[in-house]
Amino acid sequence: MGKYTIKVQPKWCKSCGVCVAFCPKQVLVLDDAGKASVQNLEACIGCRLCEIRCSDFAIEVGGENGE
Amino acid sequence: MATHVSEYLRLDKMPHIWCPGCGTGIILGAVVRAIAKLGYKRDDVVVVTGIGCSSRTNAIIDFNTFQTTHGRALSFATGFKMARPEMKVIVITGDGDGSGIGGNHLIHTARRNIDITTILVNNGIYGMTGGQYSPLTPRGCIASTAATGTMEPCFDMCELVKAAGATYVARGTAYHATMLEQLIAKALEHHGFSFVEGIAQCPIGFGRRNNQKTPVDMLNWQKDHAITIAAAAKASPEELAGKFLIGEFVNKEAPEFSDVYWEASRKAQQKVKEAR
Ligand SMILES: Cc1ncc(C[n+]2csc(CCOP(=O)(O)OP(=O)(O)O)c2C)c(N)n1
Ligand code: SF4
Ligand code: SF4
Ligand code: SF4
């Protein structure tokens, strides 16, 4: 398991691809339904760039301390 | 669910109405994160907006909210602040709303230095009505009303409100969302008229026509064209060509309008009492 948790709310995700494009560690992909999904959690560095650039509040990164 | 979402957004309005990858959502995120960090209570905040996609923020954000007429958010907000000076008053406006039809209200609100925080979401276009050019569309860009490119120069809103008397002025972008959140937090804590311009992408009204086909292209454009004030101070004219500045332009103190007004009112009442 990685240090971080990533939660996507598929109902809120509008498949814009922003989180995928700007993740510095290629953790995320768009799945077959076009929704953001986690491909490589181990590589996540917890920078939260995906979360803060999501226009739709659809992705949330949980911290090391279980925040 | 993070506090800024569960506390400050109307969850029954999600997913919200904005298009995929719209910059307004990122700016709203920076606003609610800044408020969450400052720990403001919902009842202590009033958010006033005008008309436009960016002004629809009021359907989504969960404070005391008031969506007003096009360009007039600052006038209604001035009324709120004068009546309830203890409240935190925030205006969220678009480039059309705030610099076009509402431009006159903006300069006079800045001149008075009333304690209102204004966030101007600048996507360079009238998004809601179909991509007509606004006073902030850069010259030469294609709009639904400018098939061969706009022929007018655009305003620099930060310079404009600075000249008008605003005591806190800053600019950020949706791409630089962490910095934007910090600038908004400083604006909210400032006593006086504070103004933050947030450069945002409208992929539908602007990007599609101007060779920035996706939200990702538009965010990359922001990344490549923004330069911090500190970096710009050391850059050559060639390096600065085509760039715009981000960061804090003004942070100073001056008498705040509602303070001045209520103090004058107190003195006048005192005089009446003494005369009796
Ligand atoms: C008095 C008046 N004139 C015109 C309109 C039509 N109108 C609605 S939204 C809008 C433009 C909004 O543009 P902007 O403020 O840039 O916001 P955006 O949609 O880009 O976020 C206009 C002209 C109106 N609602 N009221
Ligand atoms: S940025 Fe948000 S809306 Fe866009 S694909 Fe990622 S999770 Fe979905
Ligand atoms: S937190 Fe950072 S590293 Fe982790 S998925 Fe999001 S953008 Fe990628
Ligand atoms: S038209 Fe533009 S500003 Fe309006 S919601 Fe769509 S992308 Fe956002």
Side-chain angles (χ1 to χ4, degrees), chain A residues 7 9 11-22 47-60, chain B residues 1-2 4-5 9 11 14-18 20-22 25-26 28-29 32-33 174-175 177-178 215-216 219-220:
Chain A
K7 256 188 290 178
Q9 294 219 50
K11 281 197 180 132
W12 293 9
C13 170
K14 293 189 188 138
S15 312
C16 71
V18 166
C19 58
V20 176
F22 293 108
C47 67
R48 288 172 183 258
L49 289 174
C50 50
E51 182 180 321
I52 64 164
R53 292 205 189 104
C54 173
S55 308
D56 288 276
F57 303 90
I59 185 162
E60 196 182 328
Chain B
M1 191 176 286
H4 63 272
V5 177
L9 298 184
L11 299 182
M14 303 295 278
H16 57 54
I17 57 153
W18 293 318
C22 172
I26 305 181
L28 170 59
V32 287
R33 282 187 184 89
Y175 178 83
T178 307
V216 172
L219 285 162
N220 274 320

